[in-house]
Amino acid sequence: MLWLPVNGRSLCPERRHGMGTTWREAVQSGQASAETGRSGMEMEMEVVLFIAAVVLLIGGIFFAAVGVIGMLRFSDFYPRAQASTCITTLGTVGAVAAGIILAALSSLAAIAYVKLVIIAALIMISGAVASHALAKSTYKRGHRPHGEGFVKDDYKEDGFDGN
C-alpha cells in the first residue's frame, strides 16, 4: 500500500474515503476535489513531485555514502580528495534539489527557492575550488601519487618540479 503525506493529507490509493470509495475512485469521480479544493490532476502531480523529491534525496544520500566509503577505503591523498568532492557536490546538491521540490509542494515564498539555489551553487563552486587548492598545495609540497603517477603532469610541464 502506498502512503504519501502531501500538504498534511494522506494520499493512499487503497484507503477508503467517504462512502466506501477508494481515493483513486474519489479522484476520478470528482469527490476528492470537493474535499480538498483541488482537482485529481493536481493531486497526482503532487504525488509525482513528492516521489521525485524522495528519489533525489535518496540519490544524495547514496552519493554521500559512496564518498564516505571512498574516504575510508582509499589510501592516497588524491583519491580521497576526489571522494570528498563527491560528497560535497553530488550528495548535497541532491538534497538541495529535493528541498526545492518540497518547498514548491509546501507553497513557501519565492525567496526559499532562491536561497536553496544559491546554497547549491556555492557548495558546488566552493567544493571544487577547495579540492583543487588542496591538491595543488599537496603537489607543491612534493607529495606524488603512489603507483604509476599522473597520466599528464601539467605542473611539471610548466617548469615546477615540486621540490
Side-chain angles (χ1 to χ4, degrees), residues 13 39 44 75-76 96 100 103-104 113-114 131 161:
S39 69
E44 289 176 9
S75 61
D76 194 18
V96 170
I100 290 171
Y113 307 121
V114 173
S131 178
D161 62 357

Side-chain angles (χ1 to χ4, degrees), residues 53-141:
V54 169
V55 167
L56 285 170
L57 191 59
I58 290 172
I61 291 169
F62 170 76
F63 283 115
V66 167
V68 168
I69 291 169
M71 292 285 292
L72 297 174
R73 297 280 315 233
F74 290 136
S75 61
D76 194 18
F77 169 77
Y78 295 104
R80 284 184 178 182
Q82 187 272 334
S84 69
T85 305
C86 174
I87 295 170
T88 58
T89 54
L90 297 174
T92 307
V93 170
V96 170
I100 290 171
I101 292 174
L102 291 175
L105 285 175
S106 63
S107 302
L108 290 178
I111 192 70
Y113 307 121
V114 173
K115 287 179 184 179
L116 287 169
V117 168
I118 290 172
I119 288 170
L122 289 175
I123 287 173
M124 287 181 71
I125 292 169
S126 66
V129 170
S131 178
H132 179 75
L134 285 171
K136 187 174 182 179
S137 67
T138 303
Y139 181 89
K140 285 184 177 182
R141 291 208 176 248

Side-chain angles (χ1 to χ4, degrees), residues 8 10 42 47 52 78 83 89 106 115 119 153 155 158:
S10 64
E42 290 173 357
V47 171
Y78 295 104
T89 54
S106 63
K115 287 179 184 179
I119 288 170
D153 194 351
Y155 291 131
D158 290 340

